[in-house]
């Protein structure tokens, strides 16, 4: 008979969401164990673009994406592509995505995302102060770039939505852009600056700092894979790959793109899939930019990070099992060279898995059968941004307070 250890709370997954949640719950005096077979913070939370994107209120699925979906998906060099072999398996997710992209649904989803993002900057500042990582937060805004005036005009609707949600944004002429970022080539459409946005100088360093403080707060981080959860009287059993059984009064599922099976085991089927994303990095002492910059037609960010320039983004629909696509890496390289022709070969490349819902809204909330199982996954493009907000929400849900108002839209019950 396998040995069983008892915990108050078990968190499955030590990404930025699991770690931030562990810290919040430990600070309120709870006994926490986190399970993860890998180095904490080494999943999607390691390789992202590092932007705390308080301005990113638009869901991925919008009427204009829907209109262009066939072209986008089947052009293998577009910023949003699909692996053809994955189409049958992805069809249910794609159909839901198309439905969520209709005008009324997209507007409702934007309102939920905006409600979540409203506290994201202050929550990150609080977290950075708490873990002594203020030096890793950079406050310099974030810049979108447009190839020509027509592309800027196409973005007008998105900007109007942002304005309605109170997001600060400044439209810049090509000359203004040049003054802000003199190393950039001309972008004839100019740009839009989101002046309040913050970014991380080094996501991996931030994850290390967070992990150290989580450990110092008494959280046990156990290197093993959770394989199944099952409710029983007075708690939830967690079976693990190390052969041990662990039991907790509450289990929080924060396994990023790998969370779906646990939700199904607890009786809450959710349409979680993944949007695969890539980065390439160029080592250099002084990157040629002073803030994250997004040439919008290319679907990636160029981000100055400690000792390197990271080029991160694009979406590839294709599941969790397929290997890195050299074609997608080449696309990033070509795009980076179009902006900075002097770049050589990248020093490293990376593939990561965004945990993505068809409505671009994370799943944060108690299982239908009770708050002994709580979900905190599905953050898609905004998991880094929303991790501390999620941690605060989970603390309240564990105490029996469910989100209300637009934030109620994050509930797992929306799929029942
Ligand atoms: C290219 C790219 C750029 C991005 N840019 C940004 C950005 O600028 N801003 C932003 O806010 N977001 C960005 N994101 C999204 C963001 O990175 C993710 O939403 C976020 O990291 C998700 O965090 P997480 O903790 O849910 O998942 P992860 O960081 O993936 O962590 C999940 C953890 O669960 C563990 N796990 C999995 N299965 C099990 C199991 N069975 N048992 C135990 N543990 C398990 C994994 O090992 C992993 O450590 C980007 C993503 C990509 C790919």
């Amino acid at each position: 008979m396998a040995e069983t250890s008892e915990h108050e709370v078990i968190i499955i997954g030590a990404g930025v969401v699991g770690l931030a949640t562990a810290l919040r719950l430990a600070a309120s005096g709870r006994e926490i164990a986190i399970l993860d077979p890998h180095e904490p913070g080494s999943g999607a939370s390691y390789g992202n673009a590092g932007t705390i994107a308080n301005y990113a209120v638009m869901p991925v699925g919008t009427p204009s994406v829907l209109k262009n979906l066939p072209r986008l998906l089947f052009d293998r060099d577009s910023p949003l592509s699909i692996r053809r072999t994955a189409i049958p398996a992805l069809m249910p997710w794609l159909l839901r995505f198309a439905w969520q992209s209709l005008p009324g649904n997209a507007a409702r989803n934007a309102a939920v995302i905006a409600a979540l993002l409203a506290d994201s900057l202050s929550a990150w500042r609080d977290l950075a102060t708490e873990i002594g990582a203020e030096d890793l937060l950079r406050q310099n805004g974030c810049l979108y770039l447009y190839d020509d005036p027509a592309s800027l005009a196409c973005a007008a609707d998105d900007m109007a939505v942002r304005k309605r949600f109170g997001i600060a944004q400044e439209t810049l002429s090509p000359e203004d852009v040049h003054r802000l970022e003199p190393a950039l080539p001309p972008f004839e459409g100019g740009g839009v600056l989101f002046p309040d946005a913050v970014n991380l100088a080094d996501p991996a360093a931030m994850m290390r700092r967070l992990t150290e403080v989580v450990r110092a707060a008494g959280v046990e981080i156990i290197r093993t894979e959770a394989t199944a959860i099952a409710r029983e009287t007075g708690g939830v059993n967690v079976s693990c790959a190390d052969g041990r059984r662990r039991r907790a009064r509450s289990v929080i599922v924060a396994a990023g793109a790998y969370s779906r099976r646990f939700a199904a085991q607890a009786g809450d089927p959710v349409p979680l899939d993944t949007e695969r994303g890539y980065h390439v990095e160029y080592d250099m002492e002084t990157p040629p930019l002073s803030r994250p910059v997004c040439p919008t037609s290319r679907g990636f960010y160029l981000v100055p990070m400690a000792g390197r320039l990271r080029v991160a983004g694009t979406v590839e629909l294709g599941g969790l099992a397929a290997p890195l696509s050299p074609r997608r890496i080449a696309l990033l390289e070509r795009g980076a060279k179009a902006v900075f022709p002097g770049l050589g070969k990248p020093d490293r490349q990376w593939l990561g898995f965004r945990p993505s819902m068809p409505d671009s809204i994370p799943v944060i909330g108690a299982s239908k059968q009770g708050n002994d199982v709580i979900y905190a996954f599905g953050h898609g493009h905004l998991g880094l941004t929303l991790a501390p907000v999620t941690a605060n929400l989970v603390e309240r849900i564990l105490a029996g307070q469910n989100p209300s108002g637009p934030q109620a839209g994050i509930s797992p019950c929306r799929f029942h």
Side-chain angles (χ1 to χ4, degrees), residues 11-19 35-53 55 224-227 254-259 261-262 275-279 301 312-314 350-355 376-387:
I11 299 179
I12 301 177
V16 66
V17 173
L19 290 168
L35 311 179
D36 198 313
H38 300 117
E39 182 69 26
S42 64
S45 304
Y46 156 80
N48 51 62
T51 60
I52 308 305
Y55 53 86
T224 188
E225 182 190 348
T227 52
Y258 301 86
S259 299
R261 68 169 149 157
F262 299 111
E275 289 169 89
R276 298 150 59 95
Y278 289 83
H279 85 218
Y301 281 94
T314 75
W350 174 84
L351 159 66
F353 302 97
R354 299 181 189 90
F377 61 79
H379 296 74
H381 294 239
L382 289 173
L384 183 68
T385 303
L386 290 175

Side-chain angles (χ1 to χ4, degrees), residues 6-250:
E6 301 279 341
H7 300 275
E8 185 180 351
V9 178
I10 288 178
I11 299 179
I12 301 177
V16 66
V17 173
L19 290 168
T21 302
L23 188 58
R24 192 73 291 108
L25 298 181
S28 59
R30 295 180 190 269
E31 184 272 323
I32 316 286
I34 312 187
L35 311 179
D36 198 313
H38 300 117
E39 182 69 26
S42 64
S45 304
Y46 156 80
N48 51 62
T51 60
I52 308 305
N54 70 311
Y55 53 86
V57 298
M58 301 307 296
V60 178
T62 61
S64 86
V65 168
L66 185 58
K67 199 169 81 193
N68 295 311
L69 200 57
R71 181 183 58 78
L72 284 169
L73 286 178
F74 295 105
D75 172 357
R76 292 205 291 161
D77 287 341
S78 89
L80 169 62
S81 75
I82 191 162
R83 291 180 80 93
R84 293 202 181 149
T85 48
I87 292 175
L90 274 167
M91 204 39 92
W93 191 95
L94 277 173
L95 289 174
R96 282 178 184 265
F97 177 80
W99 170 250
Q100 292 297 335
S101 303
L102 294 174
N105 293 337
R108 254 195 313 280
N109 296 339
V112 179
I113 297 168
L116 290 173
L117 287 172
D119 294 330
S120 57
L121 291 178
S122 59
W124 251 107
R125 287 206 185 88
D126 291 348
L127 177 63
T129 306
E130 190 176 354
I131 66 174
E134 297 98 321
D135 58 312
L136 295 173
L137 270 195
R138 288 181 177 164
Q139 166 83 64
N140 217 5
C142 173
L143 181 59
Y144 274 17
L145 297 168
Y146 297 92
D147 292 338
D148 47 48
S151 348
L152 179 69
C154 286
D157 286 351
D158 285 10
M159 284 187 232
V161 173
R162 291 191 170 106
K163 194 162 172 209
R164 215 172 324 123
F165 289 118
I167 309 291
Q169 54 189 347
E170 296 164 21
T171 305
L172 305 181
S173 67
E175 296 73 30
D176 295 332
V177 169
H178 180 71
R179 270 191 292 279
L180 270 187
E181 296 291 353
L184 285 174
F187 277 79
E188 285 171 23
V192 173
L193 177 70
F194 302 102
D196 297 336
V198 168
N199 70 292
L200 305 191
D202 189 335
M206 185 62 93
M207 293 310 113
R208 282 196 296 276
R209 205 77 65 88
L210 183 53
T211 305
E212 278 163 25
V213 178
V214 164
R215 282 208 171 96
V219 174
E220 191 184 357
I221 303 182
I222 303 166
R223 275 285 189 105
T224 188
E225 182 190 348
T227 52
I229 61 174
R231 286 188 166 96
E232 59 176 33
T233 316
V236 182
N237 257 317
V238 183
S239 308
C240 296
D242 64 3
R244 292 189 59 162
R245 277 156 39 105
R246 296 176 170 87
R247 234 173 80 96
R249 242 179 287 157
S250 311

